[in-house]
Amino acid sequence: MPETLFKINAKEYILPGNRSCQGCGLSLAYRMALKALREKTIMVLGPSCLCVLHGLYPSTAVLIPGFNTTFASAGAAASGLVAGLRALGRDNETVCAFIGDGGTSDMGIQSLSGAAERQTDFIYVCYDNEGYMNTGTQRSSATPLGAITTTTPIYTKEEHKKDLVRIMEAHEIPYIATANAAYPIDLYDKFVKAKKIKGTRYIHLFIPCPPGWGFPPKDTIKIGRLAVETGVFPLFEIENGKFHFTGRSRALAERGHKIPVSTYLERQARFQKMTPAQVNVFQQWVDRRWEDFLRRAEADAKHFLS
Amino acid sequence: MSRVEIMTGNQAAALGARLARVQVVAAYPITPQTSLTETLAQLIESGEMQAEYIRVDGEHSALTVCIAASTIGARAFTATSANGLLYMHEQIHWAAGSRLPIVMCCVNRGVGAPWTIFNDQQDSISQRDTGWIQLYCRDNQEIIDTVIQAFRIAETIYCPVMVCYDGFVLSHTLMPVEIPEEEKVDAFLPPYRPHTILDDTNPRTINPVMFADLRANAEGILCDGYMEIRYKLEYALKGALKTIQDVSDEYALVFGRDHGGLIWEYKTSDAEVILTGMGSIATEATIAADILREKGIPAGVVGIRAYRPFPTEALIRALKRARSIHCLEKAVSYGFAGPVYTDLRAALYGSECDAQMQDYITSLGGRDIQPSTIAEVVLNRIKSDAFDGRFREPIWINCRTE
Ligand SMILES: Cc1ncc(C[n+]2csc(CCOP(=O)(O)OP(=O)(O)O)c2C)c(N)n1
Ligand code: SF4
C-alpha cells in the first residue's frame, strides 16, 4: 500500500541546524529516508556531504547512530556491522549505507559489489548529486555528459553517466529502486519497503545540488521534477528482477510522452557550455534508455499477468 | 590437560584465534598467510569454531569488516602478508585511530616490486607508524600464545595488535606446539566489551570530522581536538609497554610459558657482543652467538618481541654492559638504515649504554642466511678498526653489492 503524506512518520531524526547548503536535495531526501527507516538503524557514512550534514565533532544533527568509514569501504563496513550484530545476536537492527555517487560508482564499487555478491543483509543507498560535491564539484563517473565540473572546466564531461543500477542488477539482489528528493512520498514508500526485505537492497537517489549544478536553492524541487518529467531520471523499482515504473514516471509511461531534456538542461549553469549537438546526444541517450525501460515494464507486466 | 600437536605457524595462529573465541573473521588469501585463512574456514564451517566468516573482496575490505564488527562489540581477527598489508594501509590507521582491539597476524613477506613471495619484514615495518602494537614471534608455540595474549593486551588498552611472524620460516614449518586448555584461556581472556555502544539509545556519530582545536559540545563541555585524541593514542601505546609485560607475566604463571614480554635474552649475563633482531632471525642469532663463544667471543642475543611500542627502558637495561651491538634486520628504511638499528641508536643515545653499533641488512626476499655467516660477519666487524661509534652504512649480508 502506498503511504500518503498523512501516514508518514511524524518523528524528525535530523535536528534543525545541520551543515548542508541552502536548498540541498540531500537533506530533504535523508530526512524522509530516516523517517521511513526509523529507530534501530545504524547508518554507514563515508567522506561526503552527508558526513558533514551529520555534524562535526563533538556535535551531531542526527538521532540515528552513524558510523563513518573511509571512502572505498562502505560495503565492507556494512558487512562488518551486519556480521558483528549477528555474532552478538542483535537481530532486529537495520544496517544502511548512505553514500555519494563518488563513493559508490568510483572508489567504493569494489566493496559494494563484494557485499552485494555475498547478499549481505543491508540497504545501500547511493545518493547521486552527480559529482564529488564535498571536495568542491569535481567530475565523478556519475556526472552526466556535458556537465562543467572543476575537473572538466573547459570541454565538459565527454562521457555519459555510469549506469550503476544496471551494475547492481547484475548482482541479482532482491530489491532495487530509484527515488528522487523531489518526490518524498515515493521515496518514503521505497525505504519502508526496502526495510522489510532481507538481503541486499539498493536505492539510487537523485539529489539536486544547487551550488554544484548551478541553480537557485529555491529550485531544488523543480529541478528534481524536471529530471523525472524529461525521463532523465525515471522512477522505478526492480523487485526480484521484475521492473515497474512508480509514481510520476508510471504516469508518464502510461501517457506515453515526456518533455524534451533541454528544459531540464537549460536551467542549470553546469550545462551552459553544451552545444546543440551534445544536447542531441543527451536526448538520444535519454530516449534510448526510456524506450528500454518501457519495453521492460511491458514485458515484466505481461510476465506477471500470465 | 593441554596437549601437544605438530603444526605449522599458520595452524597455530588459527588455533589461537579459535581459543580466543574470535567472533568475526574476515580475511583474503595471500601467500604465505593463505593456509591460515583456510584453516579458519575449515574450523568455522565444521562447527569447531563459532564465528562469522566474511569472505571479502580484498584486504582493504577485510580490515574494514573487522573495524565495523569490533566497533559493534564483536571480537575480530584478520591476517595477511606483504601487498595485502599494504593494501590495508588506510584501514590500519583507521583501526588504531578508532581505538579498536583488533588482532591481525602479519605473516611476514617481502613487498613488490619486484614480486617475491618469500620472507622478510618490510611489510609490517612499513606499517610501523600507524598506532598498532607490533609483536614479533620466534616459533610456532609463541604464535599461538601471542595471539591469545594479543587480544588481552588489545582489549585492556583499546589498541589493535599485529602479531608478526616470518613467512614460510614459521608459517609453513611444522613444530610441536602445546595447545592451551580452553577453560584456562577463557579465564585469561574475558569477553570483549567495546568502548562505545553503537545503538539508538544514545545515538553517536563515530569518527566524524574533527577540528584542530578543542570544541564545546551541546552541553558546553570542552571536548578534545584532533591533537588530544592523537595524543591519547600515543599515551596508550606507551602504556602498552607495561600491559604487554604484565600480560606476558600472567600468561607465564597460568600456562607455564614465558616468551619474554617486551624483549628476550640469550646468554647475556656475561656478554660483551650482543646480536639483536626480531623474529626468527634473532633465533638464528642465538646459534651464531654460540659459534662466537666457541671462538672465545662472549656473545649473546637480545631479541626484540615488542617493536611498537619500542621498549627503550628494557633495552637499555639489557644492553648496558654491551661493548658492541649488531642489528640483524629484514627490512630497510631506504635512504638511511634498518629500522631496528635506527630506533635502537636513538633509544640508547646518551644512556648508560655506549656500545658501538653496526647494522646488517639480511635475508631480503627470503635470501638464505646461515648462523655461521652471521658469526663470521660479526667477527670481521668487531676486528675492524673502523669501529669508532660513528654512523656507518649498514652491511648487506650475502648480497652482491659491487
Ligand atoms: C581515499 C580518499 N580519497 C579522496 C578523498 C577525498 N574526498 C572526500 S569526499 C570526496 C568526494 C565525495 O564525493 P561523493 O561520494 O560523490 O559524495 P558528495 O561529496 O558528492 O556528497 C573526496 C574525493 C578521501 N576522503 N579519501
Ligand atoms: S554541495 Fe550539494 S549535496 Fe552537498 S550539501 Fe551542498 S547542496 Fe547538498
Side-chain angles (χ1 to χ4, degrees):
Chain A
M1 272 293 285
E3 295 272 355
T4 69
L5 201 51
F6 304 104
K7 283 204 204 157
I8 283 177
N9 179 9
K11 183 164 173 192
E12 297 294 343
Y13 297 85
I14 309 182
L15 300 171
N18 71 68
R19 284 180 179 265
S20 58
C21 310
Q22 200 182 19
C24 173
L26 171 61
S27 60
L28 301 178
Y30 195 52
R31 173 171 173 246
M32 280 297 154
L34 292 186
K35 282 169 173 280
L37 293 172
R38 298 175 186 246
E39 288 75 12
K40 299 266 172 227
T41 300
I42 300 177
M43 196 59 75
V44 177
L45 312 162
S48 60
C49 290
L50 185 58
C51 162
V52 177
L53 185 155
H54 253 255
L56 308 182
Y57 187 82
S59 49
T60 177
V62 182
L63 298 180
I64 292 284
F67 177 84
N68 279 287
T69 191
T70 53
F71 206 23
S73 64
S79 303
L81 291 177
V82 170
L85 290 169
R86 270 173 58 154
L88 299 181
R90 280 166 61 175
D91 51 11
N92 61 345
E93 278 156 274
T94 303
V95 174
C96 179
F98 224 101
I99 308 291
D101 50 286
T104 304
S105 61
D106 298 330
M107 230 192 224
I109 197 166
Q110 173 177 331
S111 75
L112 167 59
S113 175
E117 181 271 332
R118 291 188 300 272
Q119 303 294 334
T120 305
D121 188 18
F122 80 124
I123 302 174
Y124 189 100
V125 183
C126 170
Y127 74 84
D128 188 357
N129 52 22
E130 304 197 317
Y132 302 150
M133 296 315 177
N134 183 240
T135 38
T137 321
Q138 294 83 31
R139 168 208 197 272
S140 82
S141 59
T143 302
L145 177 92
I148 300 166
T149 66
T150 56
T151 50
T152 55
I154 295 170
Y155 298 121
T156 77
K157 182 159 185 248
E158 295 179 285
E159 307 79 17
H160 287 297
K161 186 180 173 69
K162 188 188 275 188
D163 191 343
L164 216 51
V165 167
R166 265 165 63 192
I167 293 174
M168 291 314 294
E169 237 202 302
H171 292 78
E172 305 204 358
I173 54 178
Y175 185 75
I176 292 174
T178 60
N180 183 324
Y183 296 90
I185 299 172
D186 179 77
L187 185 153
Y188 182 86
D189 287 345
K190 285 167 177 168
F191 276 88
V192 168
K193 190 184 272 184
K195 185 176 160 142
K196 292 182 190 144
I197 296 168
K198 283 250 166 266
T200 304
R201 296 85 92 192
Y202 178 80
I203 299 180
H204 199 100
L205 287 184
F206 188 80
I207 301 294
C209 164
W213 296 5
F215 63 82
K218 68 174 175 50
D219 286 350
T220 301
I221 301 298
K222 186 178 285 170
I223 295 291
R225 285 188 181 162
L226 280 173
V228 170
E229 297 289 342
T230 53
V232 166
F233 189 87
L235 301 172
F236 57 79
E237 288 179 317
I238 305 172
E239 291 179 74
N240 293 315
K242 299 281 175 291
F243 175 98
H244 59 94
F245 285 111
T246 66
R248 182 67 191 148
S249 292
R250 183 205 294 257
L252 284 176
E254 280 161 8
R255 205 178 60 196
H257 71 91
K258 47 192 178 32
I259 61 176
V261 293
S262 53
T263 46
Y264 168 73
L265 301 175
E266 69 201 9
R267 285 170 188 274
Q268 302 172 53
R270 62 173 172 160
F271 294 120
Q272 74 192 13
K273 284 195 175 178
M274 275 179 100
T275 59
Q278 264 183 320
V279 173
N280 238 338
V281 174
F282 198 107
Q283 181 71 61
Q284 282 165 15
W285 180 79
V286 168
D287 291 347
R288 197 181 66 232
R289 284 163 49 90
W290 180 254
E291 293 301 322
D292 283 352
F293 286 134
L294 281 177
R295 266 195 301 276
R296 213 176 142 188
E298 206 177 319
D300 286 355
K302 263 199 209 120
H303 187 267
F304 181 70
L305 291 174
S306 61
Chain B
M1 271 292 288
S2 59
R3 49 178 217 284
V4 175
E5 278 181 23
I6 309 287
M7 66 180 77
T8 64
N10 281 345
Q11 286 168 324
L15 280 189
R18 181 177 74 76
L19 285 166
R21 297 199 186 277
V22 163
Q23 293 163 297
V24 173
V25 174
Y28 193 82
I30 181 168
T31 306
Q33 160 264 31
T34 308
S35 59
L36 166 48
T37 357
E38 293 169 341
T39 308
L40 284 170
Q42 185 69 36
L43 288 171
I44 292 169
E45 288 198 2
S46 67
E48 283 173 73
M49 179 173 171
Q50 294 292 316
E52 299 287 322
Y53 187 175
I54 312 299
R55 292 145 188 93
V56 282
D57 45 272
E59 289 86 354
H60 193 279
S61 293
L63 190 49
T64 307
V65 165
C66 291
I67 287 169
S70 181
T71 304
I72 278 291
R75 191 171 280 161
F77 177 81
T78 185
T80 188
S81 299
N83 289 60
L85 191 74
L86 306 188
Y87 195 48
M88 281 180 180
H89 180 64
E90 185 185 32
Q91 302 310 83
I92 292 178
H93 274 286
W94 199 266
S98 312
R99 303 293 300 275
L100 295 170
I102 297 162
V103 171
M104 160 156 67
C105 284
C106 173
V107 189
N108 287 116
R109 161 180 161 179
V111 300
W115 281 121
T116 173
I117 59 163
F118 298 111
N119 165 243
D120 63 43
Q121 294 168 345
Q122 194 71 47
D123 50 1
S124 53
I125 289 298
S126 69
Q127 305 304 319
R128 181 189 64 186
D129 298 335
T130 53
W132 281 59
I133 292 167
Q134 286 196 355
L135 304 175
Y136 287 79
C137 301
R138 273 166 291 171
D139 56 42
N140 297 358
Q141 183 68 59
E142 188 172 350
I143 294 171
I144 193 169
D145 294 335
T146 303
V147 168
I148 295 163
Q149 290 179 22
F151 277 107
R152 176 72 187 275
I153 296 164
E155 291 170 14
T156 305
I157 59 164
Y158 293 101
C159 285
V161 179
M162 204 179 290
V163 177
C164 307
Y165 56 91
D166 292 312
F168 294 110
V169 182
L170 299 181
S171 67
H172 287 62
T173 304
L174 290 161
M175 296 179 190
V177 170
E178 191 175 322
I179 303 169
E181 292 156 71
E182 254 176 62
E183 311 77 61
K184 279 193 185 171
V185 177
D186 288 344
F188 181 79
L189 185 63
Y192 161 47
R193 292 176 41 215
H195 57 62
T196 306
I197 304 291
L198 200 60
D199 68 14
D200 53 21
T201 52
N202 180 15
R204 289 158 181 273
T205 298
I206 306 239
N207 287 327
V209 178
M210 298 281 304
F211 285 103
D213 293 333
L214 291 89
R215 259 183 112 221
N217 68 9
E219 283 86 45
I221 297 163
L222 210 54
C223 297
D224 290 342
Y226 181 83
M227 206 159 162
E228 283 72 26
I229 290 183
R230 286 276 144 180
Y231 174 73
K232 285 179 176 169
L233 176 59
E234 165 65 0
Y235 185 80
L237 262 266
K238 289 281 166 61
L241 287 168
K242 181 167 176 349
T243 312
I244 294 166
Q245 192 60 55
D246 290 351
V247 168
S248 174
D249 293 347
E250 189 185 328
Y251 196 89
L253 273 180
V254 177
F255 297 94
R257 280 184 301 280
D258 187 349
H259 300 290
L262 302 169
I263 61 171
W264 53 271
E265 299 181 42
Y266 179 78
K267 296 189 180 171
T268 49
S269 58
D270 64 337
E272 293 174 11
V273 173
I274 298 281
L275 314 188
T276 182
M278 306 192 292
S280 59
I281 188 74
T283 313
E284 213 166 320
T286 61
I287 307 172
D290 286 340
I291 297 172
L292 287 166
R293 279 182 179 266
E294 280 163 25
K295 297 187 169 104
I297 311 279
V301 176
V302 173
I304 296 174
R305 183 166 180 260
Y307 177 59
R308 279 294 178 275
F310 196 68
T312 303
E313 296 303 322
L315 285 166
I316 291 175
R317 242 177 287 126
L319 294 167
K320 63 175 177 243
R321 279 182 310 275
R323 303 275 298 276
S324 69
I325 299 167
H326 305 262
C327 304
L328 299 158
E329 313 215 46
K330 291 186 176 182
V332 192
S333 172
Y334 286 92
F336 188 52
V340 172
Y341 174 85
T342 308
D343 287 355
L344 196 54
R345 211 175 146 94
L348 296 181
Y349 183 80
S351 74
E352 40 273 57
C353 171
D354 62 351
Q356 313 279 342
M357 286 186 72
Q358 177 62 48
D359 196 17
Y360 305 86
I361 308 299
T362 176
S363 312
L364 300 189
R367 174 75 50 97
D368 192 33
I369 180 141
Q370 297 291 318
S372 55
T373 312
I374 298 176
E376 193 184 307
V377 286
V378 169
L379 200 59
N380 284 342
R381 190 66 192 89
I382 302 167
K383 287 185 183 153
S384 143
D385 42 345
F387 220 7
D388 56 7
R390 266 186 285 173
F391 173 79
R392 299 276 162 190
E393 288 302 324
I395 296 169
W396 287 55
I397 308 180
N398 276 356
C399 178
R400 191 168 68 186
T401 52
E402 280 88 52

